[in-house]
Amino acid sequence: MGIEQIPVTVVSPDAGLSGNAHPLLREIVEMMGALACAGTPGILDLAALPLTPADKVWLRERLGTGQVQATLDAEGISSVEETACPGVWWVTHRDARERVLSEFIEVTLVPEILKAYPEDVQMGQAYLENVISELS
């Protein structure tokens, strides 16, 4: 059998897309405008949207990869990845067995999960005050 006789299956680059990923890009652009102009953050819960696995891959490819990545280990692994668009973050939470529990696209300066909360800052302050008192 010559090479010209080998059957070839061509898969469309949009195979498996639901048509819902494309409008999400426009929504992300609008959210970025709100963040830049008014400081208003936004969030998209990917699990609450009718997206296929191919949609998510398509979105990740279009959003690209940024410079900042963080991993948190608190009752499962959470990853926070900046996209190539500053202010747009892909946040994934997994359980102890590494199954995806939730996925979000956050349009914000700093994702919520990375922010220090006042109570935590107070605990840190008390810890350092204790360290200093033990040095005396």
Side-chain angles (χ1 to χ4, degrees):
M1 178 187 295
I3 193 163
E4 63 279 348
Q5 296 174 334
I6 297 174
V8 176
T9 303
V10 178
V11 177
S12 165
D14 289 343
L17 293 179
S18 67
N20 294 323
H22 294 218
L24 279 183
L25 284 181
R26 175 56 53 199
E27 188 169 349
I28 291 167
V29 168
E30 291 174 14
M31 292 167 73
M32 292 174 77
L35 179 64
C37 293
T40 306
I43 189 166
L44 295 169
D45 181 349
L46 298 179
L49 300 171
L51 298 173
T52 65
D55 287 331
K56 290 181 184 180
V57 169
W58 187 90
L59 277 171
R60 275 196 179 268
E61 288 173 353
R62 297 313 172 281
L63 292 172
T65 302
Q67 299 176 349
V68 179
Q69 297 177 352
T71 303
L72 296 94
D73 188 357
E75 297 180 28
I77 301 293
S78 294
S79 62
V80 178
E81 302 171 44
E82 179 188 41
T83 69
C85 307
V88 179
W89 305 84
W90 195 291
V91 181
T92 306
H93 303 288
R94 291 179 171 78
D95 65 12
R97 293 183 177 178
E98 299 186 19
R99 293 177 297 201
V100 174
L101 297 174
S102 58
E103 274 185 298
F104 302 95
I105 293 176
E106 288 191 42
V107 179
T108 184
L109 300 177
V110 178
E112 254 336 279
I113 196 166
L114 296 179
K115 290 182 181 178
Y117 291 94
E119 299 82 19
D120 294 336
V121 173
Q122 290 172 344
M123 287 175 21
Q125 179 185 12
Y127 169 79
L128 286 179
E129 286 174 350
N130 189 42
V131 168
I132 290 169
S133 71
E134 289 177 1
L135 294 174
S136 306

